[in-house]
Amino acid sequence: MDERIAVVTGAAGGIGSATARYLARAGAAVALIDVKAESITGLAAEITAAGGRALPVRCDVTDPTQVTAMVRTVAREFGAPHILVNNAGVLRDGALHLMSETDWDAVHSVNLRGAFLCARAVYKHMARARWGRVLNLSSVFALGSVGQVNYATAQAGLEGMTRALAVELGPFGITVNAVAPGLIETPPAEGADGLMGADGVRSALVADTAPLRRTGRPEDVAATLAFLAGDGASYITGQTIHVDGGLPLGRLPLNVCGVGN
């Protein structure tokens, strides 16, 4: 990926930081986007020390003004972006009768609106280059999960947006794909009521549900994203790739909510 410029949102998170490291090792210059300035500054220093190129840019992806300014900064410092990884996401789990409008809006604003704003902001650069990769982080729980009506709806919306943009942007040489992780050991997942960290639940998932007998790692998702971002995936578009260890969604414990970005 030498000479490629990648923008990774939610870069302070487990999947985001793993993806940034993976792309940097592959030769891409990586813009690290997050609201957690201290975390992405440290990650940028780590990548740079390892011989890569990284630029931390604090940005709230729900704010169109900040998103536009972020892309301008990346273009000025590194060059026009070729790759966008829409990884920024939040969880606000709760049963329907307890879920507030604020919880609903927060998830849709970051997970869905943020991806739209970032894709819109980088589109002109990719179209001009006649080459681009837009990668959206969905989830196996886009198919539904108890206590996650806001999250499931937003992630399903991302998959619909992926297909629509694949049709619209394909003539410009831009592929658009989604990756849907399963149970990944990330900080948001660990913090979801402690369920991912509970030995009993983890053991049940590993021993009785997942064919690969383990939960996923951020690197598992990062490797898939890196493949889709490369030239080898030039004829793949409009797809949602599940990275879930073969986990059958219908057999998940109903109270396990927590797939974080």
Side-chain angles (χ1 to χ4, degrees), residues 141 183 185 189-190 192-210 213-215 247 251-258:
F141 290 114
L183 289 160
E185 297 182 28
E190 294 284 359
D193 298 328
L195 289 172
M196 281 291 287
D199 291 339
V201 172
R202 186 190 300 275
S203 296
L205 287 169
V206 171
D208 300 330
T209 308
R213 300 300 189 261
R214 68 173 177 88
T215 50
L247 194 67
R251 293 183 58 197
L252 281 175
L254 292 179
N255 64 339
V256 175
C257 312

Side-chain angles (χ1 to χ4, degrees), residues 47-67:
I47 291 173
T48 302
R53 293 182 295 162
L55 174 71
V57 183
R58 187 189 183 283
C59 175
D60 178 352
V61 298
T62 70
D63 184 335
T65 301
Q66 291 190 38
V67 169

Side-chain angles (χ1 to χ4, degrees), residues 45 50 76 115 148-149 172 199 243:
R76 182 181 67 247
Q148 290 192 307
V149 63
F172 298 96
D199 291 339
V243 182

Side-chain angles (χ1 to χ4, degrees), residues 98-184:
L98 298 175
M99 185 173 290
S100 66
E101 292 89 344
T102 300
D103 291 337
W104 174 273
D105 291 342
V107 171
H108 282 253
S109 185
V110 177
N111 299 27
L112 190 53
R113 172 186 166 93
F116 156 70
L117 291 176
C118 290
R120 188 179 66 177
V122 303
Y123 156 71
K124 64 179 180 180
H125 297 288
M126 296 180 179
R128 190 176 297 123
R130 310 295 291 188
W131 195 100
R133 301 285 186 267
V134 176
L135 302 172
N136 299 318
L137 263 292
S138 181
S139 167
V140 295
F141 290 114
L143 299 177
S145 176
V146 172
Q148 290 192 307
V149 63
N150 49 1
Y151 185 75
T153 307
Q155 304 313 96
L158 269 176
E159 295 183 11
M161 185 173 78
T162 296
R163 290 187 289 273
L165 288 182
V167 174
E168 182 175 342
L169 305 186
F172 298 96
I174 303 168
T175 66
V176 187
N177 291 291
V179 171
L183 289 160
I184 307 298

